[in-house]
Amino acid sequence: MRVLVTGGVRSGKSRHAAELLEGRDHVTVVAPGPVADGGDPDWDHRVARHRAHRPTGWETVETVDLASAIGAAAGPVLVDCLGTWVTAILDRAELWDAPMDAADGVVDQHVAAIRESVRDHDDEVVLVTNEVGYGVVPSHRSGGVFRDLLGAVNQGVAEACDEVHLVVCGRVLRL
């Protein structure tokens, strides 16, 4: 089963995604966001909370190369989350101020590889992402770039999934 779990910030997405793999002895958790390094206490606390709720047999891999991490994993994979991945890609390639065509091209190449890895993986894959575009139109270009790119990423990754689960207020709607 390949599932994309989406919803707003703090909606219960990560908890639901982990519950989908509950009972599995070994899960590879791919964390493509910033590393907890003491630079941002709030982020560090969030990362620590996620780690504390994972079973002890689950292995965490911190990387932006999602396609390779999914392809190399033996057993089920949990990717948490595509929103932090988009931020990391934009940061590393210095694309925040680039023309949208340039950013789209870079992100599209990665998404194609991720889709292929998800489809080719021999076990369950659960990916977590943020749902974007329900709220206020961002007043800064960077917010619009993030919203547009993550929306496209979500659609592209959903193509490789069997199901999409929308989490709202801790409740799950299977699409």
Side-chain angles (χ1 to χ4, degrees):
M1 179 70 63
R2 286 138 181 82
V3 179
L4 178 64
V5 178
T6 189
V9 173
R10 309 292 293 164
S11 63
K13 302 178 304 288
S14 294
R15 182 182 66 244
H16 173 65
E19 287 171 354
L20 291 172
L21 298 171
E22 213 168 49
R24 300 298 296 262
D25 292 333
H26 177 80
V27 172
T28 300
V29 179
V30 182
V35 176
D37 62 2
D40 179 348
D42 293 333
W43 179 256
D44 293 351
H45 176 72
R46 180 174 276 201
V47 170
R49 188 175 56 246
H50 277 274
R51 287 178 179 158
H53 287 101
R54 292 181 194 137
T56 55
W58 291 20
E59 170 193 8
T60 300
V61 176
E62 294 176 343
T63 183
V64 176
D65 188 355
L66 296 184
S68 293
I70 294 166
V77 177
L78 170 62
V79 176
D80 196 355
C81 103
L82 295 177
T84 57
W85 174 77
V86 166
T87 299
I89 292 297
L90 292 172
D91 284 347
R92 287 182 180 203
E94 298 180 357
L95 291 169
W96 288 105
D97 295 318
M100 274 304 287
D101 289 348
D104 279 334
V106 170
V107 172
D108 287 349
Q109 288 176 356
H110 287 288
V111 170
I114 292 167
R115 252 194 329 262
E116 185 177 331
S117 290
V118 168
R119 287 182 181 137
D120 291 347
H121 193 68
D122 291 337
D123 210 317
E124 295 172 280
V125 180
V126 178
L127 305 106
V128 178
T129 192
N130 293 301
E131 191 56 42
V132 291
Y134 282 161
V136 176
V137 173
S139 59
H140 297 285
R141 183 177 189 277
S142 60
V145 167
F146 177 80
R147 177 204 55 207
D148 291 353
L149 289 173
L150 184 57
V153 166
N154 290 348
Q155 290 181 54
V157 172
E159 288 178 17
C161 293
D162 303 308
E163 295 181 1
V164 174
H165 295 184
L166 174 62
V167 182
V168 179
C169 301
R171 300 286 180 104
V172 180
L173 177 63
R174 287 169 170 80
L175 306 174

